[in-house]
Amino acid sequence: MAADTGKVLWRTPAGTGDMAAVPDSTQGAATAVPDGVVTFYGAQGDQYALLDARTGDVRWRQPKPDLPDCLLRSAAGRAYLVRATAQKEGRTGRTTVRRIDPATGKARWTVEGEDRAPAHPARRAWCSRTPSTRNAH
């Protein structure tokens, strides 16, 4: 959509199957970045893809990681895959954050941690207390 006029510039179907996700940023199924929109993609919502900001064309797509309840988020113009598990009786929650490489869609790095904060959804998603980094570069 053109920021100055509100005119729709392009439309790209993100999926058609029963499990396809609606590309909705409020539900964590899409997020805007400078290069375009990162969204869950594919007939079964089993991929994520970057849709070009100018054309809507798919620039890359990657398999969705095996992380239940995975969300797409962005901060400072960068896209992330985020998964936070709820705290249960006697168990701490876990948070996994993967930074998406804007050129390829692959994970640039992954941080995992235990969530010892109260179980408020916003805190679960961003307040890991004991992070450990894997595949950092």
Side-chain angles (χ1 to χ4, degrees):
M1 184 175 290
D4 56 344
T5 66
K7 178 184 173 187
V8 174
L9 300 175
W10 51 262
R11 293 177 197 258
T12 301
T16 56
D18 293 339
M19 298 299 294
V22 174
D24 181 348
S25 63
T26 62
Q27 299 299 315
T31 193
V33 294
D35 291 333
V37 176
V38 179
T39 183
F40 288 127
Y41 190 80
Q44 299 303 315
D46 56 354
Q47 301 172 36
Y48 61 100
L50 174 65
L51 306 180
D52 186 89
R54 289 187 340 262
T55 65
D57 293 339
V58 175
R59 291 183 42 190
W60 51 252
R61 60 183 166 192
Q62 291 290 332
K64 187 176 174 183
D66 188 21
L67 297 174
D69 302 321
C70 187
L71 303 174
L72 286 165
R73 296 288 189 227
S74 63
R78 296 180 175 134
Y80 300 87
L81 287 163
V82 178
R83 178 186 178 238
T85 59
Q87 295 176 336
K88 295 182 181 178
E89 293 178 35
R91 299 176 63 192
T92 59
R94 302 247 346 131
T95 301
T96 302
V97 179
R98 291 183 178 178
R99 164 83 159 51
I100 299 172
D101 186 316
T104 65
K106 294 180 181 178
R108 188 172 270 185
W109 51 255
T110 298
V111 175
E112 295 179 340
E114 289 182 1
D115 184 0
R116 296 181 187 150
H120 184 275
R123 290 200 65 157
R124 274 199 326 262
W126 295 107
C127 293
S128 293
R129 299 290 192 207
T130 56
S132 62
T133 303
R134 293 183 308 153
N135 302 327
H137 28 333

